[in-house]
């Protein structure tokens, strides 16, 4: 059976949260200079906010019947087949490594870009699943 929903891996999101908590504890107990405490606190809050947002947006992309459901940090959007103009993979080299992004372009000129982190797997396998479900390749 083909996978129908994709989101960040639970272990990775939990790891971010744990590192954020450890950094916050270190900020309060270990760091003694005010600038260091401030910067460590900002980093801890940023990690915790990113972990919370990534957890809240799970699954990031899902096939729901005859539509795609895209979830963000603050809400979700349902894309019917006529709303989707194009689904493609963008591939480029970055810091000596090949990076793939899944791009979903809507008829309302909205571009949704999903990375490997967002999907929890290779974007190419997600494109294959979307093509098999009839969303891409039209």
């Amino acid at each position: 059976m083909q996978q129908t929903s994709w989101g960040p891996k639970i272990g990775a999101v939990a790891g971010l949260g744990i590192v954020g908590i450890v950094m916050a504890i270190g900020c309060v107990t270990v760091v003694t200079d005010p600038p260091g405490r401030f910067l460590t606190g900002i980093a801890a809050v940023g990690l915790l906010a990113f972990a919370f947002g990534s957890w809240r947006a799970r699954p990031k992309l899902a096939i729901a019947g005859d539509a795609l459901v895209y979830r963000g940090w603050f809400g979700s959007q349902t894309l019917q087949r006529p709303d989707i103009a194009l689904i493609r993979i963008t591939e480029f080299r970055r810091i000596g490594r090949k990076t793939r992004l899944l791009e979903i372009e809507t008829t309302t000129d909205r571009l949704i870009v999903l990375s490997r982190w967002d999907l929890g797997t290779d974007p190419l396998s997600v494109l294959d699943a979307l093509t098999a479900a009839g969303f891409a390749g039209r």
Side-chain angles (χ1 to χ4, degrees):
M1 187 167 142
Q2 188 81 326
Q3 183 177 358
T4 59
S5 66
W6 302 271
K9 294 189 185 239
I10 295 173
V13 175
L16 271 178
I18 290 169
V19 169
I21 290 170
V22 168
M23 190 173 274
I25 291 170
C27 169
V28 173
T29 59
V30 176
V31 181
T32 57
D33 62 321
R37 183 169 281 178
F38 176 75
L39 291 174
T40 307
I42 293 288
V45 169
L47 281 172
L48 289 170
F50 187 69
F52 176 75
S54 294
W55 184 266
R56 187 179 178 329
R58 293 189 79 236
K60 194 75 165 174
L61 185 67
I63 299 173
D66 205 28
L68 280 180
V69 177
Y70 166 73
R71 288 189 63 176
W73 284 20
F74 303 111
S76 64
Q77 179 181 8
T78 302
L79 300 169
Q80 301 295 330
R81 289 181 197 264
D83 297 335
I84 300 170
L86 180 67
I87 299 177
R88 68 174 172 239
I89 294 288
T90 302
E91 189 174 284
F92 57 93
R93 288 207 165 278
R94 184 175 182 176
I95 310 175
R97 183 178 157 191
K98 191 184 305 182
T99 304
R100 290 187 183 121
L101 299 172
L102 178 72
E103 295 182 352
I104 302 172
E105 190 174 330
T106 66
T107 55
T108 59
D109 291 331
R110 180 164 186 219
L111 181 65
I112 300 170
V113 180
L114 300 166
S115 67
R116 185 180 186 96
W117 170 267
D118 295 323
L119 300 170
T121 188
D122 186 24
L124 198 54
S125 65
V126 176
L127 179 65
D128 291 341
L130 292 176
T131 303
F135 285 99
R138 299 181 293 134

